[in-house]
Each structure stands twice: as C-alpha cells, then as structure tokens.
Amino acid sequence: HVQLVESGGGSVQAGGSLTLSCIASGCTVTSFVMGWFRQAPGKERGGVATVDIGSGSTYYGSSVKGRFTISKVNAKDTLTLQMNSLKPEDTAMYYCAADPARIRWWSSPLRTTSYNYWGQGTQVTVS
C-alpha cells in the first residue's frame, strides 16, 4: 500500500514560481506511473502532468505545457512539480497520484481513473 504526502504549496504572485513535492512511502515506486492533478473550487479534478517512472515518459496538460516540469528524485521516492510563470487560473488544490499499473495510463495518462493512490493535497494560490 502506497502513502503519498504532498508539500510545497503556498501563496505566490502571478509570474512567480513554486515547487511541489510528493513523498511516497509504503513501497518503492520505481516502476509506477505518477502524476499531479489539481482541483479548483466547483471544478472537477484534472490532470496537470504525469510521468512513467520506469521509462521517463511525461505528459502535460495543455494549459501548463512549457511552464510546469514534473520530475522524479529516484533515490528519495520523491516526485516534484516545478511551476513557473504562475497565473491566477493555476490556483487550486494540487494532488499527487500513483499507480503500479499502466493499462489505463497508456490511453489516458491525465485521467483520475488511471490512478489508485492519492495524497491529501497541497493548496496553491496565485494572485
């Protein structure tokens, strides 16, 4: 069973940067797919970025491509999301997700249904 704990959220002005971290515990995630999702009040949770830890393949949502970078620190089982050029519309609760399987991930890497394990979230506010 995997536990995911996010950190690094906060308040920042538009144009600023933040780095989110997600620490995985309970088992090694070196063969997992992992991702970042976000949910703003009144909206559905949507995919931001995802990575296949084994192959290194990444996918990004169209609204964050070129601004956000997802990375995995293998030695520490830590997933990061570097967020640059932040906009007010990036304001949301950000969640880390993981799954050991790729059956659904291959066709839908940014869908919530492709992940079984979720963290509690970290709030990002851009003003």
Side-chain angles (χ1 to χ4, degrees), residues 66-107:
R67 298 189 297 124
F68 291 11
T69 303
I70 189 170
S71 300
K72 170 67 165 59
V73 182
N74 289 323
K76 297 184 177 181
D77 272 350
T78 299
L79 184 73
T80 64
L81 183 69
Q82 175 67 44
M83 306 185 294
N84 298 325
S85 303
L86 283 162
K87 306 175 181 180
E89 51 264 43
D90 294 318
T91 295
M93 185 72 79
Y94 283 70
Y95 297 90
C96 177
D99 200 281
R102 289 162 179 74
I103 295 176
R104 293 167 294 184
W105 186 84
W106 281 121
S107 59

Side-chain angles (χ1 to χ4, degrees), residues 58-70:
T58 58
Y59 295 91
Y60 292 90
S62 57
S63 63
V64 305
K65 195 173 294 184
R67 298 189 297 124
F68 291 11
T69 303
I70 189 170

